[in-house]
Amino acid sequence: MPELGARERQIMDVVHRLQRATVGQVLAELADPPTYSAVRGMLGLLEDKGLLRHEQEGLKFVYLPTVKLQKARESALRHMVRTFFGGSAKAAAAALLELPGAGIGGEELARLRKLVDVAREPARRKASKEGK
């Protein structure tokens, strides 16, 4: 996925959340929104980048995401880890767990333990081979 600016990411967040959005709907969802024309222009740029498509309904364009939400999440997480944590997934995970109010319990904690075990497995296999 192409790198996105902050405003482009905000717009993509809105379109993914709504699943279908007009310029006016996107504008209404943005904090400190730019002009209508600026949002319309950014939606067009996102369409040119292949991240959105539009359908015409009457006189309005309705924008829809072309990228699955999971792929968009992965791209955003990779960007965040590179930008704020020097590429360290461990540092990013630790920061998320240390957030005030993170309150991870029960099923979430069990799922995280399983994911950690799966992530450790290649290192365990490598250590086992080297130990022989």
Side-chain angles (χ1 to χ4, degrees), residues 6-128:
R7 186 63 84 179
E8 289 175 316
R9 279 194 303 278
Q10 290 174 338
I11 289 172
M12 287 302 299
D13 288 346
V14 170
V15 176
H16 271 289
R17 190 171 58 252
L18 299 177
Q19 291 298 303
R20 308 172 47 83
T22 63
V23 176
Q25 289 171 315
V26 171
L27 194 60
E29 295 285 324
L30 293 175
D32 190 29
T35 65
Y36 182 94
S37 296
V39 171
R40 187 179 64 219
M42 283 187 249
L43 286 163
L45 289 172
L46 290 165
E47 192 170 14
D48 291 344
K49 291 180 180 185
L51 300 174
L52 296 176
R53 67 181 179 84
H54 75 270
E55 296 174 352
Q56 191 157 358
E57 291 183 4
L59 298 175
K60 295 182 179 183
F61 280 7
V62 178
Y63 292 87
L64 302 94
T66 60
V67 176
K68 300 271 187 221
L69 184 58
Q70 183 60 33
K71 186 174 180 180
R73 282 179 181 159
E74 289 170 7
S75 176
L77 280 172
R78 274 193 297 275
H79 175 76
M80 180 192 70
V81 169
R82 274 194 320 269
T83 302
F84 298 106
F85 299 96
S88 171
K90 288 188 293 187
L96 287 170
L97 292 171
E98 293 169 347
L99 278 176
I104 298 172
E107 290 179 25
E108 291 174 322
L109 194 53
R111 181 170 180 257
L112 286 172
R113 284 188 178 125
K114 286 180 185 178
L115 291 171
V116 168
D117 287 342
V118 168
R120 284 184 178 162
E121 192 56 38
R124 287 182 187 156
R125 277 191 246 130
K126 183 178 177 185
S128 174

